[in-house]
Each structure stands twice: as structure tokens, then as C-alpha cells.
Amino acid sequence: MADPKGFLEHTRELPKRRPVDVRIRDWKEVYEDFPTEGLHDQAARCMDCGIPFCHNGCPLGNLIPEWNDLVWKDDWTEASERLHATNNFPEFTGRLCPAPCEAACVLGINDDAVTIKQVEVEIADRAWSDGLLTPQPPVVKTGRRVAVVGSGPAGLAAAQQLTRAGHDVVVLERADRIGGLLRYGIPEFKMEKAVLDRRLEQMRAEGTELRTGVDVGVDVTVEQLREEYDAVLLAGGSTVGRDLPVPGRELAGIYLAMDYLVPSNRVQEGDLEQTPISAEGKDVVIIGGGDTGADCLGTAIRQGARSITQLEILPMPPQERPDSTPWPTWPLIYRTSSAHEEGGERMFSVNTQRFVGEDGAVTGLELVDVEMIDGRFEPIAGSERVLPAQLVTLAMGFTGPQQSGLLDALGVELDGRGNVVRDDSWATTVPGVFVAGDMGRGQSLIVWAIAEGRAAAAAVDRHLCGDTLLPAPVTPTSR
């Protein structure tokens, strides 16, 4: 293990965020560099538990105690090897994953958990800077062709695994750039796109073909897809945003979160000089209290919003882990992102009854306080009021994959939530077609997407070759 007394001698520390008044003037990542000496101390806090519950908390089964020990010993090469043994893209998860591994950390029972996520991202970034992450092209080719539809984390993880197994893999993406929500959904201040681009260059050098501007089911027919490829893996994600069908929804100035975030990210890519949907000088209301809502918040702040209010229908969570989510489960507690400390107001236990407007444009929304009664949110009489808003973003999650086009043409079976049905081998009801990530699981975390991509790749490899050496960290019925 690392330092046997490390958890007694060192307290939990995270890298400092750049000063708010500085970082809101640019779109760079918010964290400052973390000194190596401090990282050694954080890795030393890992107790190398007899039963490391962090493994159970991580869908990828990351070998956390092993690479913590290696970081403490300053063996960065081997630490990178152990980290990449279970995770294709730790530089993504180290920045974007909410870290269920830390919620399951044994030290977290009565102390602050080990900073697993920070150690992870530091190993990955150092591996890149030290030139350790070179392309790994296959030694032997199988002659089999696989189409991966969708280039988010699930699709990219599956594609890299299948390429390294010797298959000819083509990733088909309908957008003009590879990355899915990693590219156009995640703001630059959470993950600069250079982090994504360097991994894509590695994948290209390994032999993965990345095609953009291809809407499968439209530009490429299902018949062409089945004829050209020996297997198809669907990894298009859960892309249909949850709407809010209340009176006034037709007013201008009300957008789904992705309709707002995508053009803002295109400005950072250099495609647009300015976004057509700007918060500058406006009262902004964000409906939805999750990560996507926080992304909208940080974006609106950087665009110069006059005021920002984020609404959540649920009650304000407690500061400490409640009895309803005991260790090692994911705790339902009050969390503050970097965007929340930059500004804006958060309101809980409120619901939007209607939008109000003038001349066809939204000017505000009518709120009412709610309370939970018999499992339903009931309005509290007399609590109605109007909140000014000239820009409203709906960040209430996603309801499932787009069905028109590819899924309808393939004829795959869907479940009651509109997700693609899959069996224990990740296969859909259409022979030779598999599914991974949010398209089959429903909206979830990036770490689950990567884990499912890796597992589905193993299933595809077994389908094509009769057996596989690829790891399968999760099953379709995993929690």
C-alpha cells in the first residue's frame, strides 16, 4: 500500500480554482495546476483496503489502490499502465465524472474520501505530457468490418477496443466533428477540446476511421449499413431533451439546453463569431438543477447575463449524507459546482406553471412553491409569483434516443422508456446489431458510457470471432 499512515497525516485537498473574477472572463478550464508533492500526499491517503469498495463504486472497475500506490512511489509509467488497463479515456472521466468511486471510498465512512478523481486526471495528463500514450495499432487484422454509430464516450471506447482487437472500425457521426456531447455539450471551461482532440489523433493513428457528417438512416441506408459491415454497434446516446409543455412554451426565448449550449461551443471552436442565443444583458432562468443546468449557468455568466436563476422542483438536499443513501451508495447531498460559485441564485421546491411574454417573446415565468404529498408535487396555494426572464433554458435531462431515422429503419425493439432493448450479450433484436451507452441504458454518467462501450466491444468481438480477450467490465443489467 501507499504510506500506512498517510490517511492519518494528510487531509483531503483538491486543486484550487482560478479566481472567479478571472476565470469568468475566458473559457479555459477553471482549475489551477496541482503540485506533484501535494498529489503524492493525496495518493498516500489510500488505505489499500482489504475489500476496496471504490472498485464497486466505479463501473469501470478501476484499479484505484494500485495506481494510488504507484503515484506515491513516483512510478508514473506503471501508474498509467494500470489506469489505462480499465479506462480508455481517464482524462475525460477525471474531469467530468462525479466520482462514485469516492462516494464508496472506505475512508469516507468517517473521514473525507481519497481524492481519487484528481489522482486519475493527473496520471492521465502526465502520461500525455511524458509521451507515454503512443498509438497501439493491432498486430493481426481479422478482416472484419464494424460500424460504430455515434462518437460519444461509449462509441469511442468501443471503437478503440475493437480496432485494437484487429477489426476495421468506422465511426459514423452525423455532426461535423467527432465527440458527441463531449464536443458540443460540455463547455470549454469543464474540458478544453484539445483534451479530446489528442485522443482522437491516437485513435486515427491506430487505424480507427472517423467519419463526420453522416446521418445513418438518411445519408447511409440501413441496407447499405448491413451490406458493408459485419456488425453494427449503436452508440448514439440519449439525445431527445425533456420539454416543458406548459402554457406559453411557444414564446421565443425558450430553448432546450443543448440548443443553447451547442452554438456557444461552436464559438469556442471558431465556427461562429458570436452565438445566436446569447445571455448578454438578460435575466436568465435555467429550469433543472443538474449538471447540464450548471453548464448553462457557467455559460450564461461568461456571456454577461444580468441575472441568473436556476430552478429545481426537488427539495434542497442535505449537506451531509442522509440515512436514505448510506455508504457506499451515491449520496444525495447538496453539491456546488464551479459554476455555482461564480454567481446566480438557486431555488428549490418550485415548479413552473406557465410562461408569460409580450410581442411573442418570453418576459418571465410564473412559479409556485411545491411540496411532496403522497408521491406527487402539489402546489402551495398563495405562493405564485412571476420571475423575470428574457432567456429560459430547459435542462431537465433527456427522455431517450431519437427514434426517427435509424432506429425506425432498423426495426429494433424499444422498451417502455423508448430505449433500445438489448440482451445479455448487448445484442438488439436485430441480428448483428448491438447497442451500448445511453441509447440502451438511458441518460447516465460518462463512466457508465465508457464501461458499456468496452463491454459491448467484447461482445461484438466474440460475435465476430467466436471468442474474445477484450475485458467486459459491466453487463447490460448492471446497476
Side-chain angles (χ1 to χ4, degrees):
M1 65 181 293
D3 186 351
K5 297 182 179 180
F7 68 98
L8 298 173
E9 297 176 346
H10 305 293
T11 58
R12 175 182 170 95
E13 291 186 18
L14 293 171
K16 294 180 180 179
R17 293 168 178 164
R18 294 189 291 135
V20 170
D21 60 345
V22 173
R23 69 180 192 242
I24 63 174
R25 298 177 184 177
D26 61 42
W27 294 83
K28 297 178 181 178
E29 292 183 12
V30 302
Y31 288 100
E32 297 179 353
D33 292 337
F34 198 63
T36 301
E37 182 179 348
L39 195 68
H40 286 160
D41 293 343
Q42 295 308 300
R45 296 184 72 237
C46 180
M47 301 186 296
D48 193 17
C49 309
I51 300 178
F53 279 82
C54 54
H55 286 190
N56 182 66
C58 176
L60 285 162
N62 280 338
L63 307 173
I64 296 162
E66 294 186 32
W67 39 259
N68 273 325
D69 178 58
L70 290 163
V71 167
W72 182 67
K73 293 175 179 176
D74 216 28
D75 189 346
W76 293 91
T77 300
E78 188 60 29
S80 176
E81 289 287 339
R82 303 312 295 150
L83 178 58
H84 283 87
T86 57
N87 188 351
N88 295 72
F89 314 123
E91 67 272 34
F92 301 168
T93 52
R95 287 171 167 83
L96 304 175
C97 180
C101 55
E102 294 187 11
C105 175
V106 174
L107 184 57
I109 296 176
N110 63 348
D111 199 349
D112 293 329
V114 175
T115 57
I116 298 169
K117 179 178 172 179
Q118 187 59 38
V119 176
E120 175 184 22
V121 74
E122 293 288 346
I123 295 172
D125 285 350
R126 180 145 180 172
W128 279 110
S129 63
D130 289 353
L132 301 177
L133 298 181
T134 56
Q136 300 178 36
V139 177
V140 178
K141 300 285 286 186
T142 67
R144 307 294 178 87
R145 286 172 56 81
V146 181
V148 176
V149 183
S151 67
L156 291 178
Q160 187 168 61
Q161 292 294 95
L162 288 166
T163 296
R164 291 175 174 179
H167 304 296
D168 293 317
V169 180
V170 179
V171 176
L172 303 171
E173 169 59 54
R174 64 182 175 182
D176 60 343
R177 288 187 178 88
I178 295 293
L181 288 184
L182 292 172
R183 173 72 65 183
Y184 289 130
I186 300 298
E188 196 86 353
F189 56 81
K190 286 181 66 174
M191 188 181 79
E192 295 177 21
K193 299 309 174 281
V195 174
L196 171 60
D197 290 336
R198 67 187 179 188
R199 185 63 78 170
L200 297 180
E201 285 305 308
Q202 181 198 43
M203 293 181 64
R204 290 188 180 96
E206 291 173 348
T208 303
E209 184 178 348
L210 305 174
R211 295 184 189 173
T212 59
V214 182
D215 190 351
V216 183
V218 179
D219 302 321
V220 175
T221 67
V222 167
E223 291 75 21
Q224 290 174 316
L225 194 69
R226 302 303 303 277
E227 182 179 344
E228 293 181 21
Y229 299 96
D230 299 295
V232 176
L233 177 61
L234 305 177
S238 180
T239 57
V240 180
R242 181 173 283 107
D243 214 322
L244 186 60
V246 299
R249 172 62 181 89
E250 75 283 355
L251 292 168
I254 305 170
Y255 302 93
L256 293 173
M258 285 303 115
D259 293 337
Y260 171 64
L261 291 172
V262 169
S264 176
N265 276 313
R266 286 192 175 280
V267 172
Q268 307 311 312
E269 293 279 5
D271 297 341
L272 301 172
E273 186 173 337
Q274 59 184 12
T275 175
I277 310 173
S278 177
E280 184 177 2
K282 296 177 181 177
D283 300 303
V284 178
V285 173
I286 302 163
I287 301 179
D291 289 340
T292 303
D295 293 344
C296 292
L297 172 61
T299 299
I301 288 172
R302 283 160 179 77
Q303 290 177 347
R306 178 167 54 199
S307 70
I308 308 173
T309 308
Q310 187 176 11
L311 309 181
E312 172 58 66
I313 195 171
L314 296 171
M316 181 176 176
Q319 298 283 348
E320 302 293 333
R321 183 193 289 266
D323 293 339
S324 59
T325 53
W327 177 90
T329 62
W330 178 252
L332 300 178
I333 59 175
Y334 183 76
R335 290 180 169 84
T336 302
S337 73
S338 62
H340 290 129
E341 70 179 20
E342 293 169 357
E345 178 184 359
R346 302 169 78 177
M347 299 176 65
F348 294 87
S349 296
V350 294
N351 193 22
T352 302
Q353 298 200 122
R354 65 186 180 97
F355 297 105
V356 297
E358 295 178 2
D359 300 325
V362 68
T363 58
L365 49 84
E366 183 181 284
L367 287 182
V368 64
D369 294 331
V370 296
E371 59 182 343
M372 181 75 76
I373 300 177
D374 296 330
R376 295 175 59 89
F377 292 105
E378 299 293 343
I380 298 175
S383 64
E384 298 86 353
R385 69 270 195 195
V386 173
L387 191 65
Q390 299 85 50
L391 174 62
V392 178
T393 63
L394 307 179
M396 302 177 295
F398 302 87
T399 61
Q402 178 183 320
Q403 296 179 19
S404 62
L406 175 60
L407 297 187
D408 284 346
L410 275 173
V412 294
E413 183 181 344
L414 306 177
D415 63 20
R417 297 186 300 161
N419 299 317
V420 179
V421 171
R422 67 263 186 102
D423 63 17
D424 290 342
S425 62
W426 304 91
T428 71
T429 52
V430 176
V433 179
F434 300 78
V435 65
D438 291 2
M439 185 172 267
R441 180 182 182 82
Q443 177 186 340
S444 191
L445 305 176
I446 180 175
V447 68
W448 273 108
I450 296 173
E452 290 208 356
R454 288 170 63 87
V460 172
D461 188 39
R462 184 179 292 107
H463 167 75
L464 294 174
C465 300
D467 199 4
T468 184
L469 296 177
L470 295 177
V474 294
T475 65
T477 55
S478 296
R479 63 193 185 284

